[in-house]
Amino acid sequence: MPNTTTDAQTPPPGEHSDSLLRLIADSVPALMAYFDLPDLRCRFANQGYAAYNGHSAASILGLTVREAIGEKAWQAIEPHVERCMQGERVKYMREQTLPNGETRVIEVNLIPHFLETARLVGAFVLITDITERWRAENAVRQSEERMRKFAEATDEAIVFHRNGIIIDGNEALQRLTGFTLPEVLNQSIFSFITPEWRSVALEYTRSGREDPYEVTITHKDGHTIPVEAVGKTMPLQHADYRIVVLHDLTARMKAKEREAFIALHDPLTNLPNRHHLLERLDTLLAQANRRQGHAAVLFIDLDHFKTINDSLGHHAGDQLLCDVAARITQCVRDTDVVARLGGDQFVVVLTNIHTPDDAALVADKLLESMRGVFTLDHQPVTISPSIGISLFPDDGPTGDVLLRCADAAMYHAKENGRGNRQFFLPGMDGRAMEVLQQERLLREAIAQQAFVLHYQPQVSLQDGSLQGFEALVRWKHPERGLVGPDEFIGFAESRGLIAPIGRWVMHEACRQLRDWQDEGLAPVPIAVNLSALEFRQRDLVGEIAAVLQATGLPARFLEIELTESVLMHQTGPVLDTLNALKALGVGVSVDDFGTGYSSLSYLKRYPIDKLKIDRSFVMDAPGDADDVAIVTAIIQMGHSLQLKTVAEGVETPAQMELLRQLGCDLVQGYLVSVPMEAEETRRWMSR
């Protein structure tokens, strides 16, 4: 017999299926409904869909889509519905505003329903609320947009990659690498890194490092570019990606290379400097020693180079040094070394020579090369070098010793008429040691201010009154006592030591004169000599103004004495400086007039107050008719140009009488007074 109880409790199969379908449909978070054709009336809807549109699951049945969702919503979706009714599967997103004002975003799927006969009978609607996903994606889009704007605004190259595959990059990346963005997209970022750095970059990325590191990348044209790279991991909901910022290090590398080059080379000629020379010399000598070979060191010094600087200016001197460097380089082999030690001194290291004659041949070639005319500022100039030669291993085992020996031989060449070559011989290095000792003592004198000024009066030939003093510096030599300027000023100029001496002389002369004036002694000017080097290398006007202010001496009591060589060249800068001195109130005199160019043009051009007639024209007067004629011409020229004339070296009454008759304004010399120390000068003025 059938179990009637069980049969009574079990629902019919169709009712069970409908109940299960209803349970499933109401349990899923999506909104679902089915609409029959041709009127698109609702045949089924889960509770979510019905409630979303303001109905119950029972009340929505039989309503058309238009009736179920309302007129406004119908107008928005009608085009999508029409496409579905044509048999197309449609998917779209739509924003909806809830009664509470909240905006939600839904994703709608319209799925056409066909029977086996391919007849369209209805449409299934599946709606998913994607508001949170939309907000997250929108935030990412906004973040990416901000990143995009930043990437385009910076000059740094920026590349985005996911798992090493490039997904984006900015314009700066294209400028850096030469590749267009389409050419790098979907390519491995590591393929653009040079092979020797690829493993480093891979490990950096795999470990998620975010500190800067340096690699090289390959440009499209094949050359490599050093870069500093910084990677950052950018988290996303589904998959992280990396952003890499690349900074081009090319300019920094070139600057470092330039710094390294400058540290080892002379900035004017680009030749190796002393430090670099000694390094290379030690290496070359070590190689020669291993193969029992020979080498030679040539020490080259240009004769009378100071005259070029004084007459044509330092610009012309620099040009000459560059031209000399070029000629020396052309005379030697590529395996030899040419260096500039400083000033007008060069060194050539000849490698792998066989006999001393090989070194002599190169030295003779250099002498012949230098005899050719140099053109400086459109002016032809000739110059000769003095060359000293030392040999390895005969004259010494080290570069330092060989340089010292070659230097000594060079001084021997100068003492033997200049413009020649001399091999080092024992005993020659005594002169070189004397020079080094002289420089050391002079440097110590500058540091200790071991100088003293002597003052020589200048008096009027008309009435014998005191008209001024010339300040003359003396060096208090620790071994020789007081040494006159003729014995050390030229040496100081050649060794670059004249500027500190000149500053001390200027300050001491102004200070002493001010002290005498404060004592009520004669208020007369004091003259201070300036060399051509001092005039060109110093901020003369600024320094003089500072000294006058520091000492309290009025500017009208200071005179500057310059040689003719200063006035002959660089007209613009010289004129500007002299005009500035005159504006300050300082007087200007031409010292040793008649021994240089004696050009009327610069006397007319510059604001000069006095001409000083050199003692060489006075010492043989009045007995030498030629000297008398020269002195007469200078005095007459000075008067015609409204310049005062001062005769130096007056030692006899006959000389003074002649100068008085010729109309000379002032005289100085032993007949008036020898140069005196400060205290003796004060007593002389008091008498």
Side-chain angles (χ1 to χ4, degrees), residues 112-124:
H113 179 208
F114 296 94
L115 295 179
E116 292 80 355
T117 58
R119 181 168 65 90
L120 183 63
V121 295
F124 178 68

Side-chain angles (χ1 to χ4, degrees), residues 22-41:
R22 169 62 61 184
L23 176 63
I24 294 172
D26 290 340
S27 299
V28 299
L31 312 181
M32 295 184 294
Y34 182 87
F35 292 87
D36 280 329
L37 288 179
D39 299 329
L40 287 178
R41 294 187 179 276

Side-chain angles (χ1 to χ4, degrees), residues 61-92:
L61 296 178
L63 299 179
T64 64
V65 175
R66 194 168 192 167
E67 294 169 342
I69 66 176
E71 185 64 28
K72 183 178 180 181
W74 170 254
Q75 295 297 329
I77 72 166
E78 184 179 12
H80 303 297
V81 175
E82 291 293 335
R83 289 167 54 200
C84 182
M85 294 302 95
Q86 299 298 321
E88 179 183 351
R89 186 166 182 154
V90 179
K91 181 178 180 180
Y92 65 91

